[in-house]
């Protein structure tokens, strides 16, 4: 699918050649085919014979004085048609003794064929033009080969070092100096690179722009297909590349080769790039470093419906990212899934506003816990649905806070399928305050008698006893001990702490201290 330096030919456009200083000295005038001046010139060839086409291979700018064509209009017309059949880039006619002005027959034939025809009004040595263009083409080919090898070497080194997709795209964007976008065949964006404002401008209406741009490259949109063994699975796009098209194609081809190699060596499929895209987006939303409004184009380009939607932020503990994504697809729920830190996975649902967001979230959580099995400790935490995209980051952080608050209590608390802020009560408040020095000091002071390695068993019993509402039977059952044995342990705890756990206020104080201690060590 991609070219190589040996087969890739640099070129100048007809328009570029006409702006060369040596050519301008000949006072060039375009008399036909003015709308085709962006054709690429691969070579310059001087030819007078009427059947010149048999000597061409395509892409040549043909120079002629017309000395063998003068006085024969049939030959003049056939000369132009022969160039057209050979896919010549343009014909340049030097005016003089043979043709003092542009011959109408040749001009009309060139216009019909769409072949740029240029006349030179002043005598001009064709050798100078040939030398100028050929030397420039040679220099461009050398520069192209050097660029090709430099880009290939840099990208291969990154792949060998285990660099992620984003690092490769950043390098491509540095060379191309324009936004770079990787998509699947459905135009869903899998990765981007480049200056953030420029990338956001491209993504703002990505689907329409991507389809409208089609396969044209004249506007700087240059594509290379991703795939192998006859199967395509994506494409890389240079968006608004400002250099010449041939160099842009070279960069896109080298980038495509690297991305395919990255996928093969990493053993990853295109869907993993979708996961990376979702992870970057949701991580940025949770962190709040980038304003939500600036992330909206990325969300839309990643395939998340954002217009007139209700957003449900979820955070799942002990949930496999791939399984969560498959479950969303199975239930027909549009959303993004991404792994966060500390074993948490963010799920952002995007639902039509006429649907019951709470019921759908509960259905999703119930199915997930059922599929996880009775032994799993899967926690699904949620924030209240958000109707405004700007409120999504706060919702994700709230869901993450709720998930963290109950993470160590899932074994002893009777959790609903979806845990919300109202379900975590005091535990949630303590977690918010866990880094406060006064709270830390309070916890150390209240639990000082048990905070040593040898008292871990007593601390565990205390934790269960308080979490079950001081239910002795339930505590004994969970710790697999008899009630008399439990009484002895509770007595030891009270002696160590100097408290009476039957006294509500003292028990509450110890409970708060224990919650603060646990929150500090999570």
């Amino acid at each position: 699918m991609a070219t190589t330096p040996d087969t890739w030919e640099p070129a100048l456009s007809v328009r570029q050649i006409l702006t060369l200083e040596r050519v301008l000295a000949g006072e060039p005038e375009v008399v036909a085919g003015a709308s085709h001046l962006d054709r690429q010139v691969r070579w310059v060839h001087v030819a007078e014979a009427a059947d010149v086409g048999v000597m061409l291979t395509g892409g040549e700018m043909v120079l002629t004085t017309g000395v063998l064509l003068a006085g024969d209009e049939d030959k003049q017309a056939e000369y132009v048609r022969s160039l057209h059949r050979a896919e010549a880039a343009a014909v340049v006619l030097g005016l003089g003794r043979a043709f003092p002005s542009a011959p109408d027959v040749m001009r009309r034939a060139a216009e019909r064929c769409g072949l740029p025809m240029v006349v030179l009004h002043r005598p001009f040595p064709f050798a100078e033009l040939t030398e100028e263009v050929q030397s420039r083409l040679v220099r461009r080919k050398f520069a192209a080969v050097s660029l090709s090898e430099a880009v290939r070497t840099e990208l291969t080194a990154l792949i060998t070092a285990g660099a992620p997709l984003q690092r490769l795209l950043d390098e491509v964007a540095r060379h191309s100096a324009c936004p770079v976008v990787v998509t699947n065949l459905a135009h869903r964006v899998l990765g981007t690179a480049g200056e953030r404002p420029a990338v956001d401008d491209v993504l703002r209406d990505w689907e329409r722009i991507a389809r409208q741009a089609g396969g044209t490259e004249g506007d700087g949109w240059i594509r290379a297909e991703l795939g192998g063994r006859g199967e395509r699975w994506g494409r890389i796009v240079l968006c608004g590349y400002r250099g010449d098209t041939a160099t842009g194609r070279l960069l896109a081809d080298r980038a495509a080769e690297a991305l395919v190699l990255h996928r093969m060596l990493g053993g990853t499929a295109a869907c993993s790039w979708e996961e990376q895209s979702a992870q970057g987006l949701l991580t940025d939303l949770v962190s709040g470093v980038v304003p939500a409004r600036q992330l909206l184009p990325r969300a839309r380009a990643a395939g998340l419906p954002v217009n007139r939607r209700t957003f449900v932020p979820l955070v799942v503990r002990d949930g496999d990212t791939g399984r969560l994504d498959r479950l969303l697809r199975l239930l027909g729920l549009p959303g993004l899934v991404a792994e966060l830190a500390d074993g948490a996975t963010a799920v952002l649902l995007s639902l039509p506003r006429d649907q019951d967001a709470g019921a759908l979230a509960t259905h999703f959580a119930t199915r997930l816990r059922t599929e996880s099995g009775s032994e799993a400790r899967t926690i699904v935490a949620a924030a209240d649905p958000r109707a405004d995209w700007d409120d999504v980051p706060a919702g994700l952080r709230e869901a993450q806070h709720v998930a963290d608050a109950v993470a160590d209590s899932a074994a002893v608390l009777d959790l609903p399928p979806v845990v919300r802020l109202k379900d975590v009560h005091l535990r949630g408040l303590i977690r918010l305050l866990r880094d406060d020095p006064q709270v830390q000091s309070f916890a150390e002071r209240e639990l000082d008698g048990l905070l040593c390695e040898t008292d871990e068993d007593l601390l565990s019993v205390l934790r269960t006893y308080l979490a079950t509402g001081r239910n002795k039977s339930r505590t004994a059952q969970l710790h697999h001990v008899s009630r008399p044995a439990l009484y002895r342990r509770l007595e030891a705890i009270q002696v160590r702490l100097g408290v009476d756990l039957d006294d509500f206020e003292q028990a509450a104080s110890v409970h708060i201290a224990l919650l603060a201690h646990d929150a500090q060590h999570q």
Side-chain angles (χ1 to χ4, degrees):
M1 293 184 183
T3 59
T4 66
D6 295 331
T7 60
W8 181 84
E9 292 290 346
L12 291 166
S13 69
V14 176
R15 191 186 307 277
Q16 288 174 314
I17 291 177
L18 295 181
T19 62
L20 298 179
E21 185 175 350
R22 287 189 179 183
V23 179
L24 291 174
E27 297 182 6
E29 177 190 1
V30 179
V31 297
S35 60
H36 300 279
L37 296 182
D38 290 319
R39 283 185 175 180
Q40 300 297 297
V41 177
R42 187 179 55 81
W43 204 248
V44 177
H45 188 72
V46 180
E48 303 287 358
D51 60 348
V52 61
V54 300
M55 296 180 286
L56 306 179
T57 58
E60 294 90 351
M61 173 179 276
V62 178
L63 312 180
T64 182
T65 63
V67 66
L68 300 181
L69 304 175
D72 191 331
E73 293 187 348
D74 289 340
K75 284 186 177 181
Q76 295 169 23
E78 177 56 28
Y79 185 86
V80 172
R81 290 193 292 267
S82 177
L83 294 178
H84 172 63
R85 289 192 297 271
E87 298 182 350
V91 58
V92 178
L93 175 64
L95 300 182
R97 184 178 59 182
F99 291 104
S101 62
D104 287 340
V105 172
M106 293 182 69
R107 182 180 56 77
R108 289 194 299 269
E111 193 65 48
R112 284 194 298 270
C113 294
L115 177 71
M117 180 176 175
V118 181
V119 297
L120 301 175
H121 288 280
R122 292 178 62 85
F124 182 83
F126 285 167
E128 289 188 11
L129 174 57
T130 303
E131 179 185 6
E132 176 77 7
V133 174
Q134 311 301 43
S135 64
R136 285 177 179 264
L137 290 176
V138 169
R139 289 198 299 270
R140 287 163 65 89
K141 178 160 184 136
F142 177 78
V145 171
S146 298
L147 174 64
S148 174
E149 289 308 308
V151 172
R152 175 181 282 138
T153 299
E154 291 170 7
L155 295 181
T156 301
L158 289 174
I159 294 171
T160 303
L165 170 66
Q166 187 60 53
R167 183 68 185 87
L168 269 67
L169 296 183
D170 289 341
E171 190 67 18
V172 175
R174 184 179 70 82
H175 280 286
S176 62
C178 70
V180 175
V181 177
V182 174
T183 77
N184 61 16
L185 297 181
H187 302 290
R188 181 172 178 178
V189 174
L190 309 180
T192 63
E195 295 185 2
R196 197 71 255 168
V199 172
D200 288 344
D201 286 342
V202 169
L203 296 184
R204 193 156 284 116
D205 195 11
W206 168 255
E207 185 170 352
R208 181 188 64 80
I209 292 175
R211 295 184 185 280
Q212 180 177 325
T216 62
E217 295 183 343
D219 57 357
W221 285 63
I222 299 175
R223 295 162 176 72
E225 301 297 329
L226 304 176
R229 299 179 180 178
E231 179 185 4
R232 293 186 301 121
W233 43 265
R235 58 178 60 89
I236 183 170
V237 188
L238 308 186
C239 307
Y241 179 72
R242 297 305 178 192
D244 66 273
T245 302
T247 303
R249 280 200 294 265
L250 174 67
L251 285 171
D253 286 341
R254 295 294 84 80
E257 290 176 356
L259 295 185
V260 171
L261 180 61
H262 181 273
R263 179 192 182 196
M264 291 173 58
L265 294 182
T268 57
C271 63
S272 71
W273 289 359
E274 294 179 3
E275 293 169 3
Q276 292 179 38
S277 175
Q279 183 175 18
L281 173 61
L282 293 185
T283 299
D284 286 345
L285 279 170
V286 171
S287 69
V289 174
V290 182
R293 185 58 49 182
Q294 294 183 20
L295 296 172
L296 189 58
R298 287 172 59 187
R300 183 184 291 111
L304 185 73
V306 295
N307 295 328
R308 299 183 59 81
R309 309 292 286 191
T310 296
F311 302 102
V312 182
L314 304 173
V315 170
V316 180
R317 282 281 183 180
D318 298 319
D320 176 74
T321 303
R323 183 157 54 86
L324 291 172
D325 190 61
R326 288 191 296 273
L327 182 57
L328 285 183
R329 297 175 188 274
L330 178 64
L331 298 178
L333 297 176
L336 296 177
V337 179
E339 185 176 350
L340 302 178
D342 301 325
T345 303
V347 180
L348 180 60
L349 301 181
S350 174
L351 307 173
R353 291 186 176 177
D354 59 353
Q355 293 187 350
D356 188 335
L360 288 174
T362 299
H363 179 54
F364 168 77
T366 302
R367 284 289 300 270
L368 177 62
R369 294 177 69 172
T370 299
E371 292 185 5
S372 299
S374 58
E375 299 300 321
R377 299 177 59 208
T378 302
I379 299 169
V380 181
D384 291 334
R386 263 57 176 175
D388 191 328
W389 174 258
D390 289 337
D391 295 332
V392 169
L396 284 168
R397 288 193 290 271
E398 178 182 315
Q400 188 174 32
H401 162 65
V402 173
D404 291 343
V406 299
D408 286 343
S409 303
V412 296
L413 294 181
D414 186 15
L415 296 174
V418 178
V419 187
R420 303 184 184 277
L421 193 59
K422 63 182 180 61
D423 299 315
V424 297
H425 307 296
L426 180 61
R427 187 179 300 276
L429 175 63
I430 293 300
R431 186 168 183 84
L432 286 176
L433 300 175
R434 64 178 177 174
D435 294 326
D436 188 301
Q438 293 184 352
V439 173
Q440 295 174 359
S441 177
F442 169 77
E444 291 284 336
R445 185 171 61 251
E446 289 290 302
L447 300 176
D448 182 59
L450 291 180
L451 296 182
C452 63
E453 293 183 5
T454 58
D455 291 327
E456 277 299 318
D457 181 58
L458 293 180
L459 201 63
S460 177
V461 170
L462 176 63
R463 184 180 293 111
T464 305
Y465 179 63
L466 295 175
T468 57
R470 295 183 294 174
N471 187 320
K472 294 183 176 65
S473 297
R474 180 62 174 155
T475 303
Q477 180 183 14
L478 289 172
H479 283 270
H480 308 289
V481 298
S482 64
R483 287 177 65 94
L486 176 65
Y487 295 155
R488 289 193 295 272
R489 295 183 186 184
L490 291 177
E491 182 64 28
I493 291 171
Q494 294 181 100
V495 170
R496 295 282 187 89
L497 299 181
V499 299
D500 179 5
L501 293 179
D502 290 329
D503 181 87
F504 175 79
E505 184 173 341
Q506 293 184 55
S509 181
V510 172
H511 194 186
I512 292 171
L514 186 58
L515 290 175
H517 169 78
D518 289 345
Q520 291 161 16
H521 291 81
Q522 287 178 359

